[in-house]
């Protein structure tokens, strides 16, 4: 199991903790700060999904006037995870 702690930027959430199994599937996601109910929902929806699928679905989502969002930050965390494994 791989664990990621990602410090977010430009969102209400401050941090994302992610567990990814050896097959590249997300096993757990938890956000620190932000809209608790919505972010718990995102965590449940992505559980069991492949990293690349989650990343492609969530990257580029914006929150209001911001250039990013909590889902986009999750995609960025997963991109960093993939880049670090190369």
């Amino acid at each position: 199991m791989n664990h990621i702690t990602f410090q977010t930027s430009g969102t209400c959430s401050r941090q994302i903790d992610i567990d990814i199994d050896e097959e590249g599937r997300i096993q757990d996601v938890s956000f620190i700060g932000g809209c608790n109910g919505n972010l718990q929902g995102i965590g449940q929806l992505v559980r069991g999904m492949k990293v690349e699928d989650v990343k492609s679905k969530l990257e580029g989502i914006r929150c209001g006037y911001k250039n990013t969002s909590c889902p986009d930050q999750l995609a960025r965390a997963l991109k960093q995870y993939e880049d670090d494994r190369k």
Side-chain angles (χ1 to χ4, degrees):
M1 187 77 61
N2 296 297
H3 180 80
I4 302 167
T5 297
F6 183 80
Q7 302 302 314
T8 61
S9 175
T11 60
C12 298
S13 66
R14 299 180 308 277
Q15 177 179 306
I16 308 171
D17 291 308
I18 310 163
D19 290 322
I20 301 169
D21 69 16
E22 293 76 23
E23 296 176 5
R25 292 188 182 275
I26 296 173
Q27 295 303 310
D28 191 47
V29 174
S30 60
F31 290 81
I32 309 301
C35 304
N36 190 35
N38 289 333
L39 296 174
Q40 283 183 45
I42 290 170
Q44 290 294 318
L45 289 170
V46 302
R47 183 172 286 148
M49 291 180 65
K50 290 188 171 227
V51 166
E52 61 266 14
D53 294 337
V54 173
K55 191 179 71 165
S56 70
K57 287 183 181 289
L58 299 181
E59 65 186 343
I61 293 176
R62 296 175 53 162
C63 183
Y65 62 88
K66 299 176 183 176
N67 289 327
T68 190
S69 65
C70 293
D72 181 61
Q73 290 292 298
L74 176 55
R76 292 179 190 199
L78 297 173
K79 181 180 184 327
Q80 179 179 316
Y81 166 77
E82 288 180 329
D83 289 349
D84 289 349
R85 292 181 53 91
K86 291 180 182 176

